[in-house]
Amino acid sequence: MAWYDEAVFYHIYPLGLTGAPKENHYEAPQHRLQSLIPWITHIKEIGCNAIYIGPLFESVGHGYETTDYKKLDSRLGTNDDLADFVAKCHEQGIRVILDGVFNHTGRDFFAFQDIKKNRENSQYKDWYCNVNFWGNNEYNDGFSYENWGGYNLLVKLNQHNPAVRDYICDVIRFWVSEFDIDGIRLDAADVLDFEYMKALRHVANEVKPDFWLMGEVIHGDYTRWVNEGTLHSVTNYNLHKALYSGHNDHNYFEIAHTVKRLYEMGGSRPDGLKLYNFVDNHDVERIYTKLNNKAHFTPVHILMYTLPGVPSVYYGSEFGIEGRKERFSDDSLRPALSLSDYAGAVSSNSCTKLIAALGTIRQNTPALSYGDYKELLLTNRQYAYSRNYNGQSVIVTVNNDDSDFVMTLRAGDAAEYIGALSGEKVSVNGGNIVVNIKANSGDIWLPVLPGSDNAVMPDALHVPPVKAVAHADSTGSGNTAQTANETNAVSNNTENHAANNTANDPKCAATDNTATRTDTGADNAAASSADTKNAAPVTPQQTEPAHSQDFENGKIAGLQEAILAIMEKNGPVTDQMRRDVEANVYHDSLIAWIKSFR
């Protein structure tokens, strides 16, 4: 058992949370990281015991185009600021993992700058993939190279080069020795070389006991990455997609099928693959925005905290803030927030109260970290399962319907159970419990210990379902805790809007333009057997107008012609330069290419 087996993560995108400038001019350090120190107490208060924070190191803009792996971004402060932040986290029992952007560097990285200066004579010419001194690019470097995602500002490292591996391994050792970190999240792990990852795992095993390596992987057979030789965990994008769409479509079959497939992928071992579970992050829309029925915030998070895996909350989502993905920018997903705007949220904001309760339950219920998974009941709108560990059976129940639902479920050996969220006690009769699950809500049923008035938890937390949250925006303004008058106003508006609908919140159209890249074919096949006639209809606001393929191809061709025209003004255009332009068919990359010309 390691610390990460019982971790509840809080995810911070620091450049956004601190309101740092979008562009780094490499000026005197601004100590913005120090402003996050008060957040440590808040993070602990809502039941999190680990922080994933990043990117942190010197970069040009959004943080993933690294300039210097051994220097805190000057927009955030100094290395002493980072060492102090980690130390203060450790003082409160909170582990810290950082973003490791080891697939690519920025163009200001020393090795790339040396290639620009010395070309074929550079000792670093083999540090990057497919450097071609007969080519060129939009920056007029006089050579071309392989990039990540179609963006030439992200230069792909040659992970087969021993010198590159040694350098990155030394970076990990440096981060541990200088900052005492507890793990690393590997950016773009799904395109990292496996031998490269094995080298990183070897260093992880060397530098610190229980040092955790987690990778960003979108889809595929997660066991390719999660094993004794490579990574401890990966991002669970499969469950992420299922959690919000399974609620928006009133289709728990999709969620249950995804869980079963992932559980079997891990060999059906009791605690599963220990994947990194989340409902939103810095790349996808906020869960409160994505949900058609805002009351589903409750069952979504109950599932995230109780299904096999390691739960994570993205900063600000515990307050129920919104964040809609924009076509050319992720800024709305990464807002600056002031903690003072949310003073008292744990007691007065229903979303925050729920997250804090779930964090407490998770940390005090070993079965949720180590227990096996057994499905007990499944319909389109109701779902129940148990997590069993050391003779104790914890039962989880959720309901996405607008009406209450009574479940009869097989229980463990205890004589009585208590709902950790509701405080309701039920007796075990004939090996079963009969529980009433409130509309658009759920509960975690804990066995009452023999000879005690208490359950596994010290006390029931009595957390009501999320009904309405003060209208939130992604900038943090107007996100203060909701007053009783605001709650009543929202409830009254809901009743007037749909007199025949017993949902706690009005249905709000949610847009997810994230192109999540999950492989959902198997999920959809399983869901087809479900009764979908009552599924929530897709509203017009949920989809963008469809354009023909010819139109899309025409846009790409037009952008390519514009780039070539600009290049011709700057000097002779070689055949290789033309091929580089024609090979780039990524709309956003072509836009960035055009904007890069001075």
Side-chain angles (χ1 to χ4, degrees):
M1 296 180 182
W3 66 265
Y4 45 78
D5 291 324
E6 300 180 14
V8 179
F9 272 93
Y10 193 82
H11 174 195
I12 296 174
Y13 179 81
L15 293 170
L17 178 53
T18 62
K22 297 296 183 290
E23 186 176 351
N24 188 356
H25 298 291
Y26 305 125
E27 297 173 342
Q30 300 296 313
H31 302 280
R32 291 183 175 89
L33 191 67
Q34 294 179 357
S35 69
L36 298 186
I37 290 176
W39 284 81
I40 300 172
T41 301
H42 163 73
I43 290 166
K44 185 172 184 179
E45 185 181 19
I46 63 171
C48 296
N49 55 15
I51 293 175
Y52 152 40
I53 181 170
L56 281 166
F57 293 96
E58 194 82 278
S59 65
V60 179
H62 51 55
Y64 290 99
E65 65 283 73
T66 311
T67 297
D68 189 339
Y69 286 105
K70 296 184 178 181
K71 181 178 181 295
L72 183 69
D73 196 298
S74 53
R75 293 169 291 176
L76 295 173
T78 65
N79 284 11
D80 288 341
D81 291 330
L82 180 54
D84 182 59
F85 177 80
V86 175
K88 284 183 166 55
C89 288
H90 286 169
E91 289 171 5
Q92 298 207 42
I94 295 175
R95 306 280 185 157
V96 181
I97 72 166
L98 308 186
D99 238 329
V101 188
F102 300 150
N103 176 67
H104 47 264
T105 74
R107 290 170 46 82
D108 287 347
F109 188 66
F110 75 90
F112 188 85
Q113 288 296 308
D114 191 88
I115 297 173
K116 285 185 65 177
K117 179 180 179 181
N118 298 309
R119 292 180 57 80
E120 292 90 343
N121 296 320
S122 172
Q123 63 177 311
Y124 301 106
K125 64 182 179 180
D126 295 324
W127 273 46
Y128 295 101
C129 294
N130 299 321
V131 175
N132 178 10
F133 293 107
W134 294 95
N136 206 350
N137 56 22
E138 70 270 33
Y139 299 105
N140 203 26
D141 290 323
F143 60 92
S144 61
Y145 47 85
E146 189 174 334
N147 61 40
W148 180 86
Y151 297 96
N152 271 330
L153 77 163
L154 304 176
V155 195
K156 187 169 177 63
L157 285 166
N158 178 8
Q159 298 158 27
H160 297 284
N161 186 335
V164 171
R165 292 190 189 183
D166 290 346
Y167 179 83
I168 295 300
C169 288
D170 283 341
V171 165
I172 295 175
R173 295 185 184 99
F174 176 83
W175 288 0
V176 175
S177 64
E178 293 297 312
F179 309 119
D180 195 25
I181 64 169
D182 303 290
I184 292 173
R185 175 261 195 189
L186 296 176
D187 181 63
D190 47 6
V191 295
L192 293 180
D193 177 73
F194 280 90
E195 292 303 316
Y196 184 56
M197 283 187 284
K198 288 178 182 178
L200 301 183
R201 176 64 177 267
H202 180 78
V203 174
N205 294 341
E206 162 201 323
V207 293
K208 199 174 189 179
D210 296 336
F211 192 84
W212 195 52
L213 278 185
M214 184 266 288
E216 180 193 25
V217 174
I218 308 303
H219 58 77
D221 181 354
Y222 287 151
T223 58
R224 295 180 63 210
W225 293 271
V226 183
N227 54 63
E228 291 302 316
T230 48
L231 309 181
H232 297 92
S233 183
V234 295
T235 50
N236 194 354
Y237 269 91
N238 281 308
L239 184 62
H240 156 258
K241 188 269 176 186
L243 283 175
Y244 73 80
S245 65
H247 283 85
N248 284 346
D249 295 339
H250 289 286
N251 186 7
Y252 276 150
F253 284 92
E254 178 185 1
I255 298 175
H257 173 75
T258 301
V259 173
K260 183 174 184 290
R261 180 158 51 88
L262 293 171
Y263 197 62
E264 291 173 348
M265 190 183 292
S268 297
R269 64 189 190 191
D271 52 352
L273 281 176
K274 289 295 176 95
L275 301 176
Y276 184 85
N277 294 343
F278 63 96
V279 292
D280 48 19
N281 61 27
H282 63 303
D283 288 326
V284 301
E285 291 188 327
R286 296 277 178 174
I287 186 62
Y288 199 75
T289 295
K290 282 190 288 213
L291 290 174
N292 293 343
N293 185 344
K294 306 309 180 187
H296 286 164
F297 187 94
T298 295
V300 161
H301 282 87
I302 290 175
L303 291 172
M304 186 186 74
Y305 270 82
T306 60
L307 285 168
V310 179
S312 174
V313 175
Y314 182 47
Y315 82 93
S317 286
E318 73 271 28
F319 305 125
I321 72 170
E322 303 234 19
R324 192 174 302 281
K325 194 173 180 70
E326 300 167 357
R327 188 171 183 126
F328 299 114
S329 172
D330 287 330
D331 289 350
S332 63
L333 309 178
R334 308 167 180 183
L337 300 179
S338 174
L339 188 58
S340 61
D341 289 339
Y342 303 95
V346 170
S347 60
S348 57
N349 181 309
S350 57
C351 290
T352 317
K353 183 182 293 187
L354 172 70
I355 295 300
L358 291 172
T360 301
I361 294 167
R362 175 82 185 202
Q363 290 196 35
N364 287 276
T365 312
L368 298 179
S369 295
Y370 302 106
D372 64 9
Y373 163 84
K374 291 183 179 179
E375 186 179 293
L376 300 178
L377 180 147
L378 179 62
T379 72
N380 271 20
R381 298 177 180 239
Q382 290 81 33
Y383 179 27
Y385 52 89
S386 63
R387 303 292 307 276
N388 308 284
Y389 178 70
N390 276 356
Q392 292 181 341
S393 180
V394 173
I395 298 172
V396 180
T397 54
V398 286
N399 177 16
N400 68 48
D401 195 67
D402 294 336
S403 301
D404 291 5
F405 188 86
V406 176
M407 298 182 180
T408 300
L409 304 168
R410 191 68 182 172
D413 295 332
E416 190 176 31
Y417 275 75
I418 185 170
L421 295 174
S422 66
E424 178 185 355
K425 286 188 176 183
V426 294
S427 298
V428 177
N429 293 307
N432 297 324
I433 58 172
V434 179
V435 294
N436 179 57
I437 310 305
K438 297 295 184 182
N440 299 311
S441 189
D443 213 335
I444 303 167
W445 301 92
L446 308 175
V448 176
L449 300 177
S452 170
D453 292 332
N454 297 327
V456 177
M457 286 287 299
D459 292 292
L461 296 166
H462 303 281
V463 178
V466 171
K467 292 187 176 181
V469 177
H471 181 68
D473 59 41
S474 62
T475 64
S477 60
N479 281 314
T480 52
Q482 186 177 14
T483 64
N485 289 337
E486 288 172 326
T487 304
N488 292 334
V490 174
S491 299
N492 291 336
N493 289 338
T494 303
E495 292 170 5
N496 293 335
H497 177 71
N500 295 325
N501 189 345
T502 59
N504 291 316
D505 282 309
K507 302 236 178 192
C508 299
T511 305
D512 185 54
N513 297 324
T514 60
T516 314
R517 298 176 286 174
T518 51
D519 179 7
T520 60
D523 291 339
N524 292 335
S528 66
S529 63
D531 175 14
T532 59
K533 64 183 180 180
N534 293 322
V538 178
T539 62
Q541 294 93 327
Q542 285 179 278
T543 57
E544 293 184 358
H547 297 291
S548 69
Q549 189 61 44
D550 289 343
F551 179 76
E552 293 296 330
N553 292 341
K555 286 197 301 183
I556 297 300
L559 291 171
Q560 291 170 333
E561 288 178 10
I563 290 170
L564 288 170
I566 298 172
M567 283 183 168
E568 288 173 351
K569 291 181 180 179
N570 293 338
V573 178
T574 66
D575 289 341
Q576 181 60 50
M577 292 167 67
R578 291 183 183 279
R579 286 193 293 271
D580 289 341
V581 174
E582 291 168 359
N584 190 341
V585 294
Y586 300 96
H587 180 277
D588 290 359
S589 176
L590 291 167
I591 291 292
W593 201 335
I594 290 174
K595 289 181 177 178
S596 70
F597 290 106
R598 294 290 189 266

